[in-house]
Amino acid sequence: MGFFNKCQCICFALILTLGALASQVATCTLQDVAMCEMHEQWMARYGWLYENNQEKEKRFKIFKENVALIESLNDFGNKPYKLGVNQFANLTSEEFKASRNRFKGHECATKTSSFKYQNVTTLPSTMEWRKKGAVTPTKDEGQCGCCWAFSAVAAMEGITKLESGKLISLSKQELVDCDIKGFIQKNHGLTTEANYPYTANHAANIKGYEDMPTNNEKALLMAVANQPVSVAIDAGGSDFQFYLSGIFTGDCVTSLDHGVTAVGYEVTNDGTKYWLVKNLMQRDVDAKEGLCGIAMQASYLTA
Ligand SMILES: *[C@@H]1O[C@H](CO)[C@@H](O)[C@H](O)[C@H]1NC(C)=O
Ligand SMILES: *[C@@H]1O[C@H](CO)[C@@H](O)[C@H](O)[C@H]1NC(C)=O
């Protein structure tokens, strides 16, 4: 392609882009100006442009409904947590649920059946594995549907640190690619994020995992006191979709659809106990399954 052709091409693309931008801006109607501006700001904050006006209008409607829902949920009752207009504000609750609903559990790993923390007697009143440097900063799994991999990796980074004293950011891509089978069954371990996929220099050797006794928050506490633990929760509801801050106390059920890592537990000054997962989640609830089923399907990796 000659210089002029290239230039024409670029100019044409520019014109198209500008045109698309202009027509997107033009969709704000008079009565919706404030909401429309809020939507524009939201798009700018998350760096998001819609392909065409039709899609943008559709998403604007959903956004508007979500803003109203968030306001009403925040006003309703006296919840210790707040909801906000976050990166999921463009999704219907069905879409959000569908993006959660790819939880795969740990079906491929080598499983052992003893509970190695069953005789633990010393339980610190709080535990924060992130502060101990046993977990790398949470990376947002977005909507890739591989949250289970992130959860398992965070737990594995934890155990690697505990065993070796080194905190290494392990490659999530490798874990997603090999769907767990490859490395744990062959007892290979993962390469570090920096190495993947160029070397087979495995940084962590994970023997397998142990399932926790089910529906037992006390047992979960004994394990989390000793290492980060992978848990499954029901995170498909609106309160989860728009969670912003505070101690989450529900609304949720127990249809497990999301894998996260319990990286500690704490107590507020007024005695409210909570788990440190992605959200702060109330612990020691009346239900034996724990809040959102957190005690139903927990497991930890063994090195
Ligand atoms: C919703 O917005 C996010 C950015 O926050 C974007 O990544 C995602 O693709 C959008 N989804 C839809 C269906 O528009
Ligand atoms: C816990 O204690 C019991 C009774 O002393 C013992 O049989 C069992 O092996 C211990 N379990 C572990 C994992 O240490």
Side-chain angles (χ1 to χ4, degrees):
M1 203 189 279
F3 172 74
F4 284 104
N5 272 342
K6 222 184 252 171
C7 181
Q8 273 169 356
C9 198
I10 290 167
C11 291
F12 187 60
L14 256 176
I15 288 166
L16 275 185
T17 313
L18 288 175
L21 274 174
S23 66
Q24 289 211 354
V25 170
T27 59
C28 287
T29 61
L30 272 178
Q31 76 256 36
D32 268 347
V33 160
M35 184 58 68
C36 192
E37 274 170 8
M38 196 170 163
H39 187 225
E40 296 295 335
Q41 281 165 11
W42 178 89
M43 285 169 61
R45 170 146 35 113
Y46 294 105
W48 189 239
L49 274 184
Y50 290 104
E51 254 167 53
N52 53 49
N53 268 333
Q54 219 181 350
E55 178 65 11
K56 189 181 176 185
E57 255 165 58
K58 177 181 157 193
R59 291 294 150 191
F60 174 66
K61 264 201 201 121
I62 295 168
F63 179 84
K64 196 169 138 182
E65 281 165 17
N66 281 338
V67 171
L69 177 67
I70 290 164
E71 279 169 9
S72 73
L73 287 172
N74 272 339
D75 289 346
F76 180 73
N78 194 14
K79 285 188 253 199
Y81 61 99
K82 280 267 160 279
L83 309 185
V85 180
N86 59 12
Q87 71 269 35
F88 303 119
N90 57 338
L91 303 181
T92 65
S93 62
E94 290 75 27
E95 286 168 336
F96 178 73
K97 231 180 235 128
S99 78
R100 307 279 96 173
N101 216 355
R102 299 190 201 141
F103 177 65
K104 294 196 186 172
H106 315 269
E107 67 278 340
C108 314
T110 307
K111 186 181 154 188
T112 50
S113 56
S114 66
F115 178 44
K116 83 181 201 201
Y117 301 119
Q118 71 186 72
N119 296 334
V120 163
T121 48
T122 42
L123 285 173
S125 59
T126 68
M127 181 53 72
E128 226 297 26
W129 286 110
R130 275 178 299 220
K131 284 195 189 130
K132 291 183 182 293
V135 186
T136 48
T138 310
K139 288 154 199 157
D140 191 0
E141 75 265 23
Q143 286 166 267
C144 77
C146 45
C147 44
W148 57 274
F150 284 74
S151 165
V153 167
M156 191 151 65
E157 284 168 350
I159 191 76
T160 304
K161 156 85 181 177
L162 295 178
E163 297 288 323
S164 69
K166 277 185 290 196
L167 180 62
I168 305 159
S169 191
L170 297 166
S171 169
K172 283 160 198 70
Q173 191 53 49
E174 185 180 6
L175 187 48
V176 173
D177 287 352
C178 70
D179 213 352
I180 290 191
K181 272 197 186 84
F183 79 93
I184 290 184
Q185 279 189 348
K186 295 188 203 123
N187 190 18
H188 269 175
L190 287 189
T191 62
T192 65
E193 214 139 38
N195 284 340
Y196 184 82
Y198 305 107
T199 80
N201 174 23
H202 291 121
N205 275 292
I206 303 303
K207 288 211 186 73
Y209 74 102
E210 284 170 1
D211 274 342
M212 301 269 316
T214 52
N215 298 335
N216 187 337
E217 274 199 283
K218 179 76 198 298
L220 187 54
L221 193 71
M222 286 151 79
V224 177
N226 286 282
Q227 72 176 84
V229 174
S230 293
V231 294
I233 54 174
D234 166 41
S238 293
D239 282 37
F240 247 104
Q241 182 173 358
F242 304 119
Y243 170 88
L244 191 65
S245 61
I247 297 172
F248 190 82
T249 53
D251 198 26
C252 56
V253 285
T254 55
S255 36
L256 308 178
D257 59 11
H258 205 53
V260 286
T261 310
V263 293
Y265 55 87
E266 288 179 335
V267 192
T268 61
N269 289 338
D270 65 8
T272 308
K273 298 171 176 171
Y274 58 96
W275 295 111
L276 298 166
V277 287
K278 208 158 68 177
N279 306 349
L280 309 180
M281 288 180 58
Q282 192 181 11
R283 74 182 155 93
D284 274 358
V285 297
D286 287 338
K288 65 182 187 329
E289 295 86 4
L291 186 69
C292 311
I294 196 170
M296 289 171 75
Q297 216 186 95
S299 54
Y300 52 85
L301 293 159
T302 53

